[in-house]
Amino acid sequence: MIPATYTLKLNNLLIAILIVISTQHFFVYRASQVINIQLFDLILLMYFVTFFRSMLVIHVDSWLKLFVSMLFFQFVHNIFFSGDSLFVIKELVQGIELLIFYIILHKFFSNQNNLNKVIDYVFYGLCLLSFIVVMRYFIPIDYGGAANEGLSFRNYLKRSSVINMLIPIIIFSIYYFKNINYSKKKRILVFFIVILSSYLGVASESRTFLMLLLIICLGYLFNKKRIVLVTTLLIGILSITFIIYQDNISNKYTSEYAEKVSQTVEYITNDKPFNPHGYKELMIIELPSNRQRLHYLKLIYHTGKNNLFFGIGLKQLQGITNVHGNLFIFFVSYGFFHLLLFLALILNIYSASKRELKAFPSSLNLMKHYYLFYAIVAIFFVGGGTFPLLPFLIAAALIKSKNEQRYSDSNNYYSIVSSA
């Protein structure tokens, strides 16, 4: 018989490993067009098989119902729009994986001791992984993957996806700074780790990282009166600036941006069908990444015009383009109805987080709220698929597990065993 303390430590360690791995794509086995197994999928399967019995009692709340409804909508939609049974099964399996991941996190985050241990394991695990990844640039280590010779440090950081590890490090540090259970030496260590992580994030010039920093800085605006005050001041400053420099702004726009804006809007809204390589018609836009993002707006525009309610199907989207941001992918793939479900999912967890933060303004709840901000930024700006949804599920499990502790009702618990 396995000792309870050993099982508990193994639980916490496996959960931490899942979260750390969710920041990176590590392939364990790959056979082209046959099987792609990522380390995250392997650990999740291992956890599910090993600790299946402990997961038989789950808490069903409004957020979980919305999430299951969204997955069911996707499943039915794929059946009718894909015409490919293997694709339907693959997407269903990925959806079930997301559901299992949330249930695992939700269950074990409800215990404060487990949560503290998981945060510690994840924080130092991400720090170690980030250190190894960064050091590989200065001391090349041959462990496979793309070579980094000739890459600038900025390009290497973005290519290595170190940003996905740095942001959670900075967010978890919020919990350490104000927690009375942590020593002064530990806080100093965390402070230097955060400074280094912030430097690496800025050095990489990641738009996702800079957007998150902006949102965190705007945390001052959590008060409605402050929102009105700051918004009024900004409008006033911008208005005065425009009046004073009206001619200069007008000349700048006319000389550098007017033609670009006109051609881009004409390209997006014309009747020509979307072409995966149509971005070549937008050569007036210098940066290739900006050119392609604007090019994908044409697909979004045509989908809204011709397939507003049900989209064109995820399989069709995967075959023609790579739209950035799950919000846009869900709209193009599944249409307006599915997008409403997804937005309701975000609004539900955001409202729960705001209520918890207002009722109990602790460093832990503030950390959870910022993790949700990170998840929303990832949903809007990071490339699509399962990967950008993982931070959202982590944030939802963090927030909802706390709500369960404070507001749980025994009538809301359902045992899968008893209902079988």
Side-chain angles (χ1 to χ4, degrees):
M1 184 174 179
I2 301 176
T5 54
Y6 175 81
T7 303
L8 187 60
K9 288 181 179 179
L10 186 59
N11 272 329
N12 295 333
L13 184 60
L14 280 177
I15 290 173
I17 290 173
L18 276 173
I19 295 174
V20 170
I21 293 172
S22 72
T23 67
Q24 293 290 294
H25 288 292
F26 292 117
F27 283 102
V28 178
Y29 172 75
R30 184 167 187 171
S32 180
Q33 305 300 323
V34 183
I35 298 175
N36 291 337
I37 299 179
Q38 291 182 347
L39 186 56
F40 175 83
D41 304 312
L42 190 64
I43 298 296
L44 186 64
L45 177 62
M46 182 192 307
Y47 192 104
F48 180 72
V49 171
T50 306
F51 299 102
F52 175 73
R53 288 186 62 84
S54 64
M55 297 168 53
L56 293 180
V57 178
I58 61 175
H59 175 72
V60 179
D61 56 22
S62 59
W63 191 91
L64 186 58
K65 291 176 183 177
L66 278 172
F67 185 52
V68 172
S69 300
M70 190 186 79
L71 294 178
F72 180 73
F73 184 99
Q74 292 178 188
F75 172 65
V76 174
H77 191 280
N78 287 332
I79 291 176
F80 286 100
F81 279 76
S82 70
D84 185 341
S85 58
L86 289 178
F87 177 82
V88 173
I89 294 172
K90 178 178 75 70
E91 290 300 313
L92 177 62
V93 169
Q94 288 184 352
I96 293 174
E97 277 188 333
L98 293 176
L99 182 61
I100 292 173
F101 183 50
Y102 171 77
I103 291 174
I104 289 173
L105 297 181
H106 180 274
K107 180 173 181 61
F108 290 97
F109 282 170
S110 297
N111 184 297
Q112 188 65 46
N113 291 329
N114 290 345
L115 180 58
N116 292 339
K117 284 295 182 183
V118 170
I119 290 176
D120 283 339
Y121 290 156
V122 171
F123 182 82
Y124 291 111
L126 290 174
C127 288
L128 177 61
L129 190 57
S130 300
F131 178 78
I132 293 172
V133 170
V134 171
M135 283 299 99
R136 184 174 180 253
Y137 179 82
F138 301 100
I139 309 173
I141 304 171
D142 186 13
Y143 56 80
N148 55 28
E149 292 83 356
L151 281 177
S152 66
F153 188 53
R154 174 182 65 83
N155 289 329
Y156 170 74
L157 288 176
K158 293 185 71 172
R159 191 170 180 176
S160 65
S161 299
V162 72
I163 294 301
N164 303 316
M165 298 177 283
L166 297 177
I167 292 177
I169 288 173
I170 295 172
I171 293 174
F172 283 137
S173 68
I174 296 171
Y175 179 54
Y176 288 118
F177 283 141
K178 294 186 178 181
N179 195 314
I180 60 174
N181 296 322
Y182 292 97
S183 65
K184 185 176 180 180
K185 290 182 180 179
K186 189 170 185 177
R187 294 180 192 177
I188 293 174
L189 175 61
V190 171
F191 174 77
F192 282 109
I193 290 174
V194 169
I195 293 297
L196 178 60
S197 299
S198 300
Y199 163 73
L200 293 175
V202 173
S204 69
E205 297 182 9
S206 167
R207 281 170 283 197
T208 301
F209 180 78
L210 296 176
M211 180 63 68
L212 182 70
L213 283 185
L214 177 62
I215 290 176
I216 291 177
C217 291
L218 292 177
Y220 176 78
L221 300 179
F222 286 157
N223 185 294
K224 291 182 180 179
K225 292 181 180 178
R226 292 172 183 168
I227 292 177
V228 174
L229 175 62
V230 174
T231 303
T232 304
L233 286 174
L234 286 176
I235 293 175
I237 292 171
L238 291 175
S239 299
I240 293 172
T241 302
F242 181 78
I243 292 173
I244 296 174
Y245 298 101
Q246 181 177 1
D247 292 338
N248 292 338
I249 294 173
S250 178
N251 293 336
K252 182 79 172 178
Y253 173 79
T254 302
S255 62
E256 296 189 21
Y257 299 105
E259 186 178 359
K260 293 180 181 179
V261 171
S262 175
Q263 288 192 23
T264 301
V265 171
E266 195 281 329
Y267 170 76
I268 292 172
T269 58
N270 64 33
D271 294 329
K272 292 182 181 178
F274 178 84
N275 184 326
H277 303 289
Y279 62 87
K280 296 178 181 178
E281 299 179 28
L282 277 176
M283 298 306 291
I284 193 171
I285 307 298
E286 291 83 3
L287 291 177
S289 60
N290 291 340
R291 187 187 310 138
Q292 292 194 7
R293 282 178 172 81
L294 290 170
H295 166 62
Y296 297 147
L297 290 178
K298 183 178 180 69
L299 177 61
I300 296 169
Y301 173 81
H302 276 263
T303 301
K305 185 178 180 181
N306 303 317
N307 309 90
L308 175 64
F309 296 114
F310 294 104
I312 63 174
L314 181 61
K315 184 174 177 62
Q316 288 71 18
L317 177 64
Q318 287 183 332
I320 59 178
T321 189
N322 179 29
V323 181
H324 280 264
N326 269 312
L327 203 65
F328 303 112
I329 288 176
F330 284 158
F331 173 68
V332 173
S333 301
Y334 300 113
F336 182 70
F337 291 139
H338 182 273
L339 182 62
L340 282 181
L341 263 178
F342 190 53
L343 291 175
L345 202 65
I346 296 175
L347 182 61
N348 181 290
I349 196 67
Y350 177 80
S351 300
S353 180
K354 284 285 290 183
R355 286 195 304 269
E356 186 73 11
L357 186 60
K358 185 177 181 180
F360 305 96
S362 64
S363 59
L364 179 61
N365 286 335
L366 186 61
M367 179 206 77
K368 294 177 181 181
H369 202 61
Y370 283 143
Y371 209 102
L372 178 60
F373 280 159
Y374 161 49
I376 293 174
V377 169
I379 287 170
F380 272 88
F381 298 104
V382 178
T386 299
F387 178 65
L389 286 177
L390 297 180
F392 184 57
L393 295 178
I394 295 170
L398 282 168
I399 294 165
K400 284 296 183 178
S401 60
K402 193 65 175 180
N403 288 341
E404 175 188 333
Q405 272 192 332
R406 296 192 185 280
Y407 313 117
S408 64
D409 181 348
S410 59
N411 294 328
N412 288 333
Y413 285 84
Y414 300 90
S415 172
I416 298 176
V417 175
S418 62
S419 63

